Amino acid sequence: MQDVVQDYYGKQLQSTADLKTSACCDISNMPSWLKPLLANIHDDVLSRYYGCGLVCPALLEGCRILDLGSGSGRDVYALAQLVGSTGHVVGIDMTDEQLAIAREHQEYHANKFGYDNVTFIKGYLETLDELNLADNSFDIIVSNCVINLSTDKAAVMASVQRLLKPGGEFYFSDVYADRRIPQHLINDPVLYGECLSGALYWKDFERLARDAQFLDPRLVEDRPLEITDPTLSAKLGNIQFFSATYRLFKSAELEDACEDYGQAVIYKGTIEQLPQRFDLDKHHSIETGRVFPVCANTYQMIKESRFAPHFEFIGDKSQHFGIFKNCGEPIPFGQQGAGQQTNQQTSITPIVNESSNAGGCC
C-alpha cells in the first residue's frame, strides 16, 4: 500500500479540495491562540496539506520535535514557531512531491521567523531505524492522521518508543474504527488514501500501544466522523469512524493499571495559555491551585515530563491502596456484607468526560 499512498498524495491530490471526505482535514477544534501561526505559513504549503487540525501540545519552547508524515510541512513550520530558535523540528515523509514543496519554501519561512530550525528527511515510517536518528533524541513526536496509512503500525510504535527521550511524549491525531476493517476494504486505494480503511480498531490500538511499552495511552479528545461521500459510505456500511488525539508518555515507571498510592498534584497555573487549568487528557482537567488526587501513572507522567516545574507533587509510593477508585478493573473477588455493597458501588465505568472536577478520576 505504500505505492498507493505515494501516488494518492503525490499525484492524485493537488489540493485539499480533492479529498473526498473530511477525515483528514478539520480545524474546528484548534485553539484560537494557535490559528495565527498558520498566517505565517506559505499558501502553497497550506493548500497541499491534508492533516487533521494542528497537532500541538503545550510547552514546546526549546524542544526537539519529530513530525511523522510531515507532508508539505505545514505542521513543521507551525511547530517551528513554538519551539523557537533554541528548538528544532524534523519532518519525515515518503512523498517526493510533498517534500519538494516543504523544502522549496524553507528559506521563505526562515526569513519570516528570523531563524531556520527545521529539517526535512525522506523516509518511511515503517523503517525509521534506517534514517540515522539517535535513540532518546526527541522531546516530542507528533503525527497528524498518518499512522493509519502505515503498513506496519507496530514497527512505527516501536521506533517512537526508541526515539523519545525518557519523559517524552508521542502526541498524535488519527482515525479509528469501532471494529476491525475487512481486507477487501483495506485493499481499496481510495478508502485507504482517504485515511479510512487503514484505520485501527480502537481496542487493537490500545493493545499495540501497550506492546510498545506505552502502558497507559491517554485519550485527549475525539469526535465521530461522518462519511459524506455516498459511494464511500455505501462501501463502508455500518463501520463507524472517529478522529481522536492521544498522548503516550515514555516512562519505565508506568504500571499496566491505575494504582492508588494516595498521591496528588497541584497545578501552579504557570504554563502560558493555560492559566486556569491544565488538561492532561480527556479525564484529567486539573484546576489551578486545587489539590488533585491522581493514580501513580498520572503522577509519574507529569513528574517525569517537561510539565514537572509547573506542578507541586504530594505523596510517594510508600503505601498502596489498590486500584484507583472508578478507574480500571475492580477487585474480582466477592465480598461479604457491607463490604460487598461498597465494592459494587465503586466498581463503575469511568465518566466519559471528566472536565470539571476535583479529583474523581485517576
Side-chain angles (χ1 to χ4, degrees):
M1 296 302 291
Q2 287 179 338
D3 292 341
V4 169
V5 174
Q6 281 180 307
D7 178 72
Y8 199 71
Y9 284 89
K11 296 181 173 60
Q12 302 302 318
L13 299 180
Q14 297 302 312
S15 73
T16 53
D18 295 328
L19 288 165
K20 296 181 182 297
T21 74
S22 62
C24 288
C25 51
D26 174 43
I27 62 170
S28 60
N29 294 324
M30 185 186 299
S32 59
W33 61 273
L34 287 176
K35 292 179 180 179
L37 300 178
L38 302 185
N40 294 325
I41 298 176
H42 197 283
D43 287 343
D44 289 350
V45 171
L46 295 174
S47 68
R48 291 293 298 272
Y49 190 79
Y50 313 115
C52 313
L54 178 56
V55 182
C56 182
L59 206 63
L60 300 184
E61 187 174 357
C63 287
R64 180 172 166 80
I65 299 178
L66 176 64
D67 182 8
L68 302 179
S70 54
S72 64
R74 190 204 68 168
D75 281 8
V76 169
Y77 288 123
L79 292 167
Q81 299 172 67
L82 294 171
V83 302
S85 59
T86 60
H88 197 89
V89 186
V90 177
I92 294 177
D93 204 88
M94 67 177 181
T95 308
D96 289 325
E97 292 85 353
Q98 293 281 76
L99 285 169
I101 292 171
R103 290 168 174 160
E104 178 185 352
H105 301 295
Q106 188 165 345
E107 184 178 356
Y108 168 89
H109 292 100
N111 293 332
K112 190 80 170 179
F113 306 157
Y115 47 81
D116 186 1
N117 63 347
V118 304
T119 301
F120 292 99
I121 301 173
K122 181 176 181 179
Y124 297 90
L125 304 191
E126 299 84 355
T127 54
L128 292 174
D129 55 340
E130 298 178 1
L131 301 182
N132 296 319
L133 300 171
D135 294 0
N136 307 307
S137 61
F138 290 96
D139 300 287
I140 301 159
I141 297 178
V142 299
S143 175
N144 200 333
C145 205
V146 172
I147 302 300
N148 70 85
L149 298 172
S150 170
T151 57
D152 189 346
K153 297 172 176 63
V156 178
M157 297 295 288
S159 291
V160 168
Q161 174 70 223
R162 176 179 62 83
L163 293 170
L164 278 175
K165 298 177 182 178
E169 69 169 310
F170 184 26
Y171 189 96
F172 66 108
S173 65
D174 220 297
V175 177
Y176 300 90
D178 70 338
R179 65 199 70 185
R180 292 174 180 141
I181 310 295
Q183 190 61 47
H184 73 278
L185 295 180
I186 295 175
N187 294 336
D188 186 301
V190 175
L191 287 175
Y192 203 91
E194 290 284 331
C195 301
L196 294 171
S197 64
L200 279 170
Y201 165 47
W202 68 273
K203 196 64 179 177
D204 285 343
F205 161 71
E206 290 188 348
R207 296 184 180 105
L208 195 68
R210 293 186 172 106
D211 287 345
Q213 297 305 302
F214 292 110
L215 297 183
D216 195 350
R218 296 297 178 90
L219 178 62
V220 178
E221 61 182 358
D222 60 272
R223 65 178 178 89
L225 290 178
E226 181 181 2
I227 311 304
T228 55
D229 184 279
T231 302
L232 300 188
S233 180
K235 288 183 178 181
L236 294 167
N238 292 321
I239 302 173
Q240 296 182 39
F241 292 90
F242 303 86
S243 176
T245 299
Y246 278 92
R247 69 190 329 162
L248 312 180
F249 286 90
K250 177 176 178 175
S251 172
E253 302 298 322
L254 298 185
E255 302 183 72
D256 64 357
C258 295
E259 304 290 350
D260 187 354
Y261 292 90
Q263 296 168 301
V265 298
I266 303 174
Y267 174 51
K268 301 176 184 178
T270 50
I271 297 177
E272 187 178 3
Q273 308 294 343
L274 302 175
Q276 303 301 323
R277 63 180 62 247
F278 174 82
D279 292 322
L280 178 67
D281 54 49
K282 189 174 179 178
H283 300 284
H284 296 76
S285 186
I286 306 174
E287 186 179 351
T288 299
R290 183 184 291 272
V291 176
F292 193 91
V294 293
C295 72
N297 280 355
T298 298
Y299 185 98
Q300 192 65 33
M301 287 175 187
I302 297 173
K303 190 174 181 62
E304 209 172 341
S305 74
R306 66 192 186 282
F307 302 119
H310 302 273
F311 283 82
E312 297 177 25
F313 297 88
I314 301 170
D316 52 30
K317 285 190 172 181
S318 60
Q319 190 172 5
H320 181 236
F321 299 98
I323 290 291
F324 199 95
K325 182 180 178 181
N326 296 346
C327 202
E329 296 182 7
I331 187 169
F333 313 118
Q335 301 181 38
Q336 295 180 352
Q340 185 174 7
Q341 182 180 8
T342 300
N343 185 50
Q344 291 171 347
Q345 290 175 342
T346 58
S347 301
I348 62 175
T349 302
I351 297 172
V352 171
N353 190 359
E354 187 88 20
S355 62
S356 64
N357 100 52
C361 182
C362 73

